[in-house]
Amino acid sequence: MRGLTRKQINHYLGVQPIALVDDKDIWRYLVSPITKKILGDIKYAEPTVTMIDTVQGDFPGDEVSNLNEHRINGESKHIRFPYLKSTFVTESGQLIIKRDQTKFVVLGWYGRPGKGQLIYKVAFRDRCFDGTPYANDCSLQDFPRHDPVLHKKMDVDALSVELSTYGFLPGSRVKDVTGDAEYEAFIAKPFQFIEQPELFLKHFERAFKSAMAPGQIAAPIPDMARFMGPNVDRIALARGYEVEEGAASHYHVYRWGQLFGWRVTDSEKAAILDELTKGLAALREKGVRLTRSQESWICVLQSLPRKYIPDQLYLGGATWQHDGLNKNYLWMHKPLSERAKGLLL
């Protein structure tokens, strides 16, 4: 008789390896030096680790998700599986770590407890249940991962973990600096303005001249990009993962991934990205000087109807493949072992 082994049963029903990373390793390897300077030294840890089973958190912004619409007595206030929450009070805010069976998320809050500003967010999530309804039982993720086609795992025999990062300097949000909430909404989710071309171009012209890249609603923490590269590998490898994955939201994120050894393994999407990259290279050859954020904005621009795209910025018809309007993500992968490199070829 061939059946499930104890290891397989634990994998499918138990706690996944990524959930077992120690809090001290998270502070050491996943909180950048500048972020530590902003938050200040840890003054004390809350005396108890909290087990929470509600969508509502301790303060506005501390909520979690109920993507599977779990209900008790007709109400959706409670999540299906509870999560653990560790809170560390720092000199200038607090660091919160949440974890359930498949994911942990690190949240840096600057300011008074309960009234602070989220400036830092790093998360790791085991993808073992992606493509199934079980994926949405994780209350620490904001977007569904249940579609059997669009969210399916890679067809390789290797443990994979998804990485996501967020880091902005306090007091630098666009709407706080400019007072323009619509402009911030455009920077946050520019593809939502595609059906209003004139309004899109109005905000695009302003954003193109700024240092803000698409999705960057505040000034980024300067050391985050270079700090994360090697340290996320350390965390993943220590828990036995052979592949890191991430969904590149914009072109500058894609280029960051490339710098640290990530690549798009979907051949059709990789070909489209090559077209965009060649189009940007052609602009530079014509003497057009572009920053990385401007390259990213030009890629967003390609989704407008052709008549609205300025000729000098048209890249030939290729469009960005991750617009946030559907479930079609642009996955990038990084092999962490020689065996994984062979599997991803």
Side-chain angles (χ1 to χ4, degrees), residues 18 80 104 111 274 281 331:
I18 199 61
R80 184 173 182 190
F104 74 78
D274 285 343
W331 286 105

Side-chain angles (χ1 to χ4, degrees), residues 272 275-276 302-304 306 309 313-321:
I272 293 172
E275 285 186 47
L276 290 171
Q302 306 309 302
S303 292
L304 282 179
R306 173 65 185 93
I309 304 174
L313 297 180
Y314 181 59
L315 300 184
T319 58
W320 184 250
Q321 296 296 291

Side-chain angles (χ1 to χ4, degrees), residues 2 29 43 52 61 80 88 91 105 116 121 133 138 156 202 213 254 260 288 292 309 333 337-338:
R2 293 185 63 185
Y29 296 118
K43 295 167 61 177
I52 303 177
R80 184 173 182 190
F88 301 89
E91 293 173 332
V105 57
K121 183 176 181 179
C138 175
V156 297
K202 170 190 168 184
Y254 162 69
F260 287 99
V288 180
R292 184 55 50 84
I309 304 174
H333 308 95
S337 67
E338 289 301 319

Side-chain angles (χ1 to χ4, degrees), residues 3-147:
L4 292 174
T5 65
R6 181 182 299 179
K7 182 178 180 181
Q8 288 173 318
I9 292 171
N10 182 69
H11 175 71
Y12 287 113
L13 295 179
V15 174
Q16 306 308 314
I18 199 61
L20 304 178
V21 178
D22 292 341
D23 285 352
K24 61 180 177 62
D25 287 336
I26 288 174
W27 175 256
R28 181 179 180 184
Y29 296 118
L30 294 182
V31 183
S32 77
I34 290 179
T35 306
K36 287 176 179 173
K37 288 288 186 182
I38 295 171
L39 294 177
D41 293 335
I42 294 176
K43 295 167 61 177
Y44 63 89
E46 293 291 348
T48 59
V49 175
T50 309
M51 174 89 63
I52 303 177
D53 69 345
T54 59
V55 172
Q56 183 176 345
D58 292 334
F59 54 87
D62 193 42
E63 304 86 2
V64 296
S65 300
N66 188 7
L67 296 174
N68 60 12
E69 298 184 357
H70 177 66
R71 294 177 181 273
I72 296 178
N73 297 326
E75 295 184 339
S76 57
K77 298 179 181 178
H78 292 262
I79 55 180
R80 184 173 182 190
F81 293 121
Y83 65 91
L84 294 174
K85 178 179 177 180
S86 305
T87 301
F88 301 89
V89 177
T90 68
E91 293 173 332
S92 300
Q94 56 187 326
L95 186 85
I96 294 174
I97 302 173
K98 301 178 181 181
R99 67 183 82 224
D100 69 359
Q101 292 97 323
T102 60
K103 181 175 182 176
F104 74 78
V105 57
V106 188
L107 304 161
W109 290 86
Y110 178 79
R112 292 172 54 194
K115 294 185 178 181
Q117 176 185 352
L118 180 65
I119 64 166
Y120 202 76
K121 183 176 181 179
V122 176
F124 280 83
R125 185 179 68 90
D126 193 305
R127 290 200 68 204
C128 61
F129 300 124
D130 280 20
T132 75
Y134 199 164
N136 292 347
D137 287 342
C138 175
S139 63
L140 304 181
Q141 62 175 346
D142 300 319
F143 305 102
R145 294 286 193 268
H146 65 279
D147 190 286

